[in-house]
Amino acid sequence: QVQLVESGGGLVQPGGSLRLSCTASGNIFSIYAMGWYRQAPGKQRELVADITGGTSTHYADSVRGRFTISRDNTKNTVYLQMNSLKPEDTAVYYCNADGTLGLPQRPFNSWGLGTQVTVSS
């Protein structure tokens, strides 16, 4: 199947920056969309940003203008550059990928295990 491995989380002060990475591996024929979600304690998981086809992006209102999602299709990797971080950005960030497995071709949707981002002084 498909494995997603996230990295880049950590502790940062308000106003700081972090860059998350997520690489997909396995029996992949193609990836249509990749995205980042987050879940704070006591809250539901929410979409942060996603990217389809390598160029079409979508952001949650709360992060637009501060976060940038990008993708390297040659590496099956998605990035999330997070600037001007706020305490309310504290959450576990999860990577998601949606695409097609190799022969026999069939759709997949996979999640990473998550990486903790903590914004605190």
Side-chain angles (χ1 to χ4, degrees), residues 45-120:
R45 189 173 298 189
E46 63 176 1
L47 174 68
V48 176
D50 61 23
I51 182 167
T52 58
T55 58
S56 178
T57 59
H58 171 258
Y59 295 92
D61 289 342
S62 59
V63 307
R64 187 175 293 112
R66 299 187 297 122
F67 292 9
T68 302
I69 190 169
S70 61
R71 179 175 163 184
D72 185 338
N73 292 331
T74 66
K75 299 179 180 179
N76 287 337
T77 298
V78 64
Y79 306 95
L80 185 68
Q81 178 66 45
M82 305 185 294
N83 299 328
S84 303
L85 283 160
K86 305 175 181 179
E88 50 263 44
D89 294 318
T90 295
V92 178
Y93 283 69
Y94 297 92
C95 177
N96 177 266
D98 186 49
T100 303
L101 294 172
L103 294 176
Q105 291 188 6
R106 57 205 182 280
F108 76 87
N109 185 281
S110 294
W111 291 89
L113 296 179
T115 184
Q116 177 70 47
V117 172
T118 302
V119 185
S120 176

Side-chain angles (χ1 to χ4, degrees), residues 14-47:
S17 298
L18 283 175
R19 188 191 194 211
L20 305 183
S21 300
C22 170
T23 298
S25 62
N27 183 26
I28 299 171
F29 176 75
S30 65
I31 298 178
Y32 171 69
M34 299 187 79
W36 289 96
Y37 292 71
R38 67 186 181 187
Q39 187 167 18
K43 295 187 176 181
Q44 289 188 333
R45 189 173 298 189
E46 63 176 1
L47 174 68

